[in-house]
Structure formats: structure tokens, C-alpha cells
Amino acid sequence: MADNDWKKRLGVVFSTNPDYQYEKEAPEEVETLPPQRQKLTVTLDRRNRGGKQVTLVSGFTGTAEDLAALGKTLKVKCGVGGTAKDGEIAIQGDFRDKVTALLTEMGYKAKRGN
């Protein structure tokens, strides 16, 4: 029954070969660049958040684990909550100056937007 999972085969043309094995494309994991080569932008975002302010750090190139580790470090240093997903780190509140200073102190090329 596990071999007959139709959700894994969406977008695949039917094959008459009974021994055919469907090949799934593995997502390519991007190698994390060293901090000196990262160009991060720190902006303030209020869209779709009920009027709340969120500091966004975008432009990170690397694995999801490294993004989560950097996000955790920034959340701990700022003393607030947030999330790290889809290549962006969201920190609750307006911490643009503090996050930019922390990132440059850690060796990243960070600039403050808007």
C-alpha cells in the first residue's frame, strides 16, 4: 500500500512497465557562504501582521539549519521572539539598529534598509 501513494506521483505520466520506479528530484541544499560573503538587509515590515512591527533580515544564502541558528542567536541577543524560515529571519519589534550592529559584529555585511 505504501508503494501506491498517489501524492508522490503527481505530475508523472503513466508507465506500462510494472518494474518502473518513480524517481523524485531531491531539493538541492545550498552551501552556506561564510559571513564575510553574506550580504544581509535589515528592514522593518508591517504588512499582513495586524499593525505589528517585525524586523526582517533577508538575503541569507545557506542551509535552513544555519539560518535557524543565526535567527536563534539574534532572538536571544534582542530578548524577543521571532522565526527563521523561507530564507528570512523575522524578529518581533523594531530592532533594525541593534540587529545591524550585531550582524556586523559577527562578521556579516549587513545594511539597514528603510
Side-chain angles (χ1 to χ4, degrees), residues 59-60 95 98 111:
F60 185 83
F95 289 97
K98 188 171 187 176
K111 67 177 184 176

Side-chain angles (χ1 to χ4, degrees), residues 13-109:
V13 179
F14 180 73
S15 175
T16 56
N17 184 357
D19 297 326
Y20 183 77
Q21 295 293 323
Y22 292 101
E23 297 175 7
K24 298 178 231 167
E25 292 181 16
E28 293 183 19
E29 195 65 32
V30 180
E31 185 176 315
T32 304
L33 294 176
Q36 300 81 12
R37 297 186 58 206
Q38 298 271 2
K39 293 182 181 176
L40 303 178
T41 306
V42 181
T43 58
L44 187 67
D45 188 27
R46 292 185 194 97
R47 282 181 272 146
N48 300 326
R49 303 187 195 280
K52 307 284 183 181
Q53 296 179 348
V54 174
T55 304
L56 283 180
V57 180
S58 57
F60 185 83
T61 305
T63 62
E65 293 83 21
D66 293 335
L67 179 69
L70 180 61
K72 182 173 174 72
T73 303
L74 291 176
K75 291 187 294 183
V76 167
K77 298 271 185 171
C78 292
V80 294
T83 183
K85 61 183 177 183
D86 300 331
E88 290 185 335
I89 300 170
I91 306 290
Q92 295 174 354
D94 186 4
F95 289 97
R96 290 176 288 181
D97 296 327
K98 188 171 187 176
V99 168
T100 305
L102 287 169
L103 288 171
T104 52
E105 181 180 302
M106 294 167 73
Y108 291 92
K109 290 182 184 175

